[in-house]
Amino acid sequence: SQTIHQWPATLVQPVGSPLSLECTVEGTSNPNLYWYRQAAGRGLQLLFYSVGIGQISSEVPQNLSASRPQDRQFILSSKKLLLSDSGFYLCAWSVDRGNQPQHFGDGTRLSIL
Amino acid sequence: AQSVTQLDSHVSVSEGTPVLLRCNYSSSYSPSLFWYVQHPNKGLQLLLKYTSAATLVKGINGFEAEFKKSETSFHLTKPSAHMSDAAEYFCVVSEDSSNTGKLIFGQGTTLQVKP
C-alpha cells in the first residue's frame, strides 16, 4: 500500500533562517505531488505541485520554493523565513491522472519567532 | 471554472443525532467530488469520493454523501454522531480532468459534537 511521510512534525525557526521540509511517498511511482499551507482556522492554499521529476509549478508568488530531486521526494524550501511563513504545511500525492483524490501527510507545524 | 461552497462554517449536534454538512459546487464539466476530514494538527483523511458512478456514495466511519446534479449539491450525512466525529470537514471538487490532479477546497465546516 502507499504511504506518505512528512517531517518534521513541528518546527520553530527564527525570522531570516532557512527552511527545508521534506516529503516522501512509498508504494507508488510517478505520483503527482503537492505542497499546501493552512493558516490557523482557514482553508488550504496550494503552494506548489509537481507532475514529474524536476517539474515544479508555483501557484502563488511567495518566499518559498519547491524541488523534486527524485520521483517520490518533494522538498519545500526557503532561504530566509518571514513571520508570514508561519502555518501548517501539508504534503499530498495523487496518481498521475485527473479526477483522483489526493492523499495527505500528517503535516508540519511551522512557527516563526 | 470550478468552485465549491460549504454553506455552514460551524455545525453543532448532540451525540447520537444525525449530521448534515452542506456543500454546493459549480463545474463546467462532470467533476469528481470528495469529502475530507481533518482532526486537530493532523493531515486530511479522505472520507469518500464521487467519480460519476453511483450517486449515493458510502464512505468510512458511517458517512455518506449524495450527488445531486440538478441541485449541484454534495451534502455529507451520518445517521448518528459520535464524539470522535468532532473535526473539520472539507468538501472538494476536482479542478479539471487534466493530469495535474489539482483540487479545489471549500473553506471547511467545523463539526462540534456535544455529549
Side-chain angles (χ1 to χ4, degrees):
Chain A
S1 64
Q2 301 89 2
T3 56
I4 178 168
H5 302 280
Q6 193 180 338
W7 67 94
T10 59
L11 189 60
V12 180
Q13 293 285 95
V15 170
S17 63
L19 173 73
S20 181
L21 301 181
E22 188 164 344
C23 172
T24 59
V25 180
E26 296 177 358
T28 186
S29 48
N30 198 35
N32 288 347
L33 296 170
Y34 310 86
W35 278 112
Y36 290 88
R37 177 167 58 206
Q38 187 176 30
R42 302 186 67 179
L44 276 72
Q45 179 186 36
L46 179 63
L47 302 175
F48 301 95
Y49 70 93
S50 172
V51 299
I53 296 174
Q55 300 178 61
I56 309 295
S57 296
S58 175
E59 288 292 289
V60 292
Q62 59 205 312
N63 185 43
L64 302 168
S65 62
S67 62
R68 183 171 178 174
Q70 300 180 45
D71 182 43
R72 291 169 290 175
Q73 184 185 29
F74 205 23
I75 298 172
L76 184 68
S77 304
S78 174
K79 292 182 179 178
K80 281 189 172 183
L81 286 167
L82 306 172
L83 282 174
S84 58
D85 292 324
S86 292
F88 192 51
Y89 288 83
L90 290 159
C91 181
W93 74 271
S94 72
V95 297
D96 58 342
R97 58 180 185 272
N99 291 329
Q100 299 300 311
Q102 293 177 11
H103 307 277
F104 287 80
D106 285 337
T108 295
R109 174 73 59 194
L110 176 62
S111 299
I112 309 300
L113 303 180
Chain B
Q2 277 62 250
S3 66
V4 61
T5 302
Q6 292 184 241
L7 299 173
D8 307 290
S9 60
H10 188 99
V11 170
S12 181
V13 301
S14 297
E15 189 176 19
T17 64
V19 175
L20 171 63
L21 305 183
R22 299 181 296 162
C23 173
N24 285 355
Y25 72 93
S26 173
S27 179
S28 56
Y29 78 110
S30 296
S32 290
L33 292 156
F34 314 94
W35 275 99
Y36 285 84
V37 61
Q38 184 181 30
H39 289 93
N41 294 309
K42 291 292 186 180
L44 279 70
Q45 180 185 19
L46 180 66
L47 278 178
L48 51 80
K49 61 181 179 180
Y50 167 76
T51 54
S52 74
T55 56
L56 182 62
V57 182
K58 293 189 183 298
I60 62 171
N61 301 335
F63 284 95
E64 63 181 39
E66 186 171 7
F67 175 74
K68 292 187 176 181
K69 187 175 181 179
S70 61
E71 300 176 10
T72 61
S73 69
F74 189 57
H75 301 334
L76 182 70
T77 60
K78 182 173 181 177
S80 176
H82 192 272
M83 294 298 292
S84 60
D85 294 327
E88 190 81 9
Y89 291 80
F90 292 95
C91 182
V92 181
V93 64
S94 55
E95 181 176 277
D96 55 35
S97 58
S98 73
N99 70 344
T100 65
K102 289 165 61 178
L103 301 177
I104 297 172
F105 289 78
Q107 287 302 300
T109 298
T110 302
L111 176 63
Q112 180 187 23
V113 182
K114 296 178 289 187

